Amino acid sequence: MFRALPPVLARPSGRVRTCVLLVLLAATGVTILELVREQTGTPGFFVGLGLALVPVAPLMAAFRWLGRAAPAPWRQLLFCFGWGACTAALIAILANSFATEWIAAATADPSDADQLGSVAIAPVVEETAKAAALLLVFLFRRRHFTGPADGFVVAGFTATGFAFTENILYLGNAFDEDLSKGTGMLNSITAATFFVRIVLSPFAHPLFTVLTGLGFGAAALSARRGRRIVLPLLGLALAMSLHALWNSSSRLGEYGFYTVYGCVMVPVFGLLLWLAVRIRRRRLRAVAGELAVYAAAGWLGPAEVPALASMPARSLARTLARRSGGRAAARAVALYEADAAALALLRNRARRGGPGREPDFAGRERELLDRLWLRRATAGPALARAAVMEELLPPWFDPLPRPDTAPGAVRTGVPAPRRAGNARTAGPWAGSAWAGSARTGSAWAGFRRSGPWRSATPAGPSSSRPCVLPGGDGVL
């Protein structure tokens, strides 16, 4: 018998990857800030920094609003912002400078080098550098990258960080030039640069990178490996093309900038804004539809479903919890809302895509239900009260759950929660299908079935029936 040799290159743990990324962001952040300060001068750097901060908060709030239906962790979003502001910006400034110098040396014409660099080199380099953050999240945080909405948010935060650093450079250089010429404020290059980059087109870089994010989001919904490769590349190509068109607008004649801005940028921005609102509404409808199944099984109160499908009700529930139980209670409600939304979207993807889409559906569902059960005593009353105050329930509806009338797992296809004993010690899975199937290693061992999505009949009593997806699709 030969003993198995350990792999030479083992996959690093999550903590190791986090430390490596933090060191990388810190090193690139210090380097890019020093490079920008050298180019703009210290006064120009601080003026550019202050002016570049103006659009950051509104853009981050807008993308956060889109992802509120199933919010991503703040650490992930801050990583994306830091990658765009530090790593992607450093890659772009070094690669663009090198390419421009090389083209100028090859053609002996600096003006042609600058034009070719801004139109042909910069879009490719910058969009690829920003797409690297999306690729890292897509590969290593797949649990939080589940569709177009997540692609929107991740791309938006990355591009906002990149635009922030780029605006510091442009505004700082403009201020340094005005300072050397003694130009007045109203007629200054700084004011013109601020108007074009901060007022007219703060959404430019997010607009480009969102196309890449949509490609990754579509890939997350696809079960075919070929599409998971082609769709992000297609989105990246569209981002590069739109970026190149935008950079070339100032060289398309006297009215080239206004033509591209009015005929391309504004319509594309409006289209993506409409798409973002539509995606958000579809997510909330999916949350309402899927959580109704868990409410019927007793995991949620009857008034929690409409509250969890309403963003104003969610916010009100957190406010009510904070007033009665402090910040800890508000935090518990926020986590409860996020886990409930993640559970609903998990079930929605599995029901629509099949076993290939969510191979770990059983384990992930069990984990989310366990976390919901532990926080339900705090979050349930706050959400029920918020539903009543927001008038999401009919006047005759009783928001209090009635355990004696709640349907069991046989009707809904989900395991009934444990209602007796200490939920923290016993857990909601005691006596359920998960406990009974632990010996076999499969949560679905109690079923006889002819196919993964055909209707099945339970082989044992209803108390040991495992989770079944709703809609008559059978078991997962």
Side-chain angles (χ1 to χ4, degrees):
M1 297 291 292
F2 293 96
R3 299 180 62 183
L5 296 176
V8 178
L9 295 176
R11 185 176 182 179
S13 65
R15 181 171 296 180
V16 172
R17 292 197 301 267
T18 300
C19 292
V20 171
L21 289 175
L22 288 177
V23 172
L24 176 63
L25 290 179
T28 55
V30 172
T31 304
I32 188 63
L33 290 178
E34 180 60 23
L35 286 176
V36 172
R37 191 196 64 78
E38 288 181 359
Q39 293 192 25
T40 61
T42 302
F45 172 79
F46 284 106
V47 171
L49 177 64
L51 296 177
L53 281 172
V54 172
V56 171
L59 287 172
M60 293 177 68
F63 287 109
R64 183 64 173 172
W65 171 87
L66 172 60
R68 290 293 294 176
W74 266 110
R75 289 179 297 178
Q76 176 178 303
L77 300 180
L78 292 178
F79 159 75
C80 292
F81 181 87
W83 180 278
C86 301
T87 308
L90 180 61
I91 293 172
I93 194 172
L94 294 178
N96 289 337
S97 299
F98 173 80
T100 302
E101 292 176 1
W102 182 81
I103 295 173
T107 61
D109 190 346
S111 61
D112 286 347
D114 290 338
Q115 181 177 353
L116 183 60
S118 64
V119 175
I121 304 300
V124 175
V125 172
E126 294 175 7
E127 295 307 322
T128 302
K130 288 182 286 183
L134 281 69
L135 179 62
L136 290 175
V137 176
F138 185 81
L139 293 178
F140 298 107
R141 289 293 183 268
R142 188 64 176 272
R143 178 177 293 184
H144 302 295
F145 205 127
T146 59
D150 299 306
F152 248 105
V153 176
V154 172
F157 270 78
T158 305
T160 300
F162 185 90
F164 168 67
T165 302
E166 191 178 70
N167 286 336
I168 296 176
L169 180 62
Y170 277 88
L171 291 166
N173 283 331
F175 180 80
D176 184 63
E177 186 174 351
D178 290 333
L179 194 64
S180 62
K181 294 180 179 180
T183 309
M185 181 61 65
L186 295 179
N187 298 324
S188 65
I189 301 176
T190 305
T193 305
F194 181 85
F195 179 75
V196 172
R197 299 190 64 88
I198 306 301
V199 178
L200 282 184
S201 58
F203 57 85
H205 272 289
L207 190 66
F208 309 145
T209 314
V210 158
L211 297 176
T212 307
L214 289 177
F216 276 101
L221 296 178
S222 178
R224 297 184 180 181
R225 184 176 182 180
R227 291 183 178 179
R228 291 199 299 268
I229 297 174
V230 172
L231 290 173
L233 293 177
L234 178 60
L236 179 60
L238 292 175
M240 292 176 180
S241 301
L242 187 60
H243 194 160
L245 178 62
W246 173 248
N247 284 0
S248 64
S249 61
S250 60
R251 297 175 173 85
L252 297 178
E254 183 179 359
Y255 301 101
F257 171 81
Y258 301 102
T259 302
V260 173
Y261 182 82
C263 298
V264 179
M265 297 292 288
V266 172
V268 173
F269 174 77
L271 177 62
L272 291 179
L273 181 61
W274 170 83
L275 183 61
V277 174
R278 181 178 176 84
I279 290 174
R280 188 174 188 266
R281 289 177 178 174
R282 289 186 62 181
R283 271 197 159 190
L284 291 175
R285 286 198 297 266
V287 168
E290 302 296 344
L291 289 185
V293 181
Y294 293 97
W299 287 99
L300 305 173
E304 294 179 39
V305 175
L308 289 169
S310 168
M311 300 310 299
R314 288 196 202 180
S315 178
L316 179 58
R318 294 192 298 271
T319 302
L320 294 173
R322 185 181 296 107
R323 291 176 181 174
S324 60
R327 299 179 63 180
R331 176 65 175 168
V333 174
L335 293 174
Y336 186 88
E337 294 170 349
D339 289 338
L343 176 64
L345 296 178
L346 172 73
R347 192 176 186 89
N348 184 261
R349 292 191 305 272
R351 182 168 57 83
R352 296 173 58 186
R357 178 76 60 80
E358 295 293 338
D360 192 32
F361 170 78
R364 180 62 175 155
E365 183 192 43
R366 175 174 56 184
E367 176 187 350
L368 290 170
L369 285 174
D370 188 31
R371 281 153 48 175
L372 287 176
W373 190 251
L374 294 178
R375 299 188 180 100
R376 184 181 175 185
T378 301
L383 287 166
R385 186 180 175 189
V388 173
M389 295 177 67
E390 288 289 329
E391 299 181 353
L392 301 176
L393 303 172
W396 46 265
F397 191 86
D398 183 3
L400 298 178
R402 296 181 180 275
D404 56 333
T405 60
V410 174
R411 179 183 299 181
T412 63
V414 298
R418 181 177 178 86
R419 300 184 179 280
N422 189 345
R424 187 173 296 275
T425 57
W429 302 102
S432 70
W434 308 110
S437 61
R439 294 185 300 271
T440 64
S442 171
W444 316 117
F447 268 93
R448 298 188 301 267
R449 56 186 178 180
S450 56
W453 292 99
R454 297 182 182 178
S455 59
T457 56
S462 60
S463 62
S464 63
R465 180 170 178 171
C467 297
V468 183
L469 293 176
D473 293 325
V475 298
L476 183 65

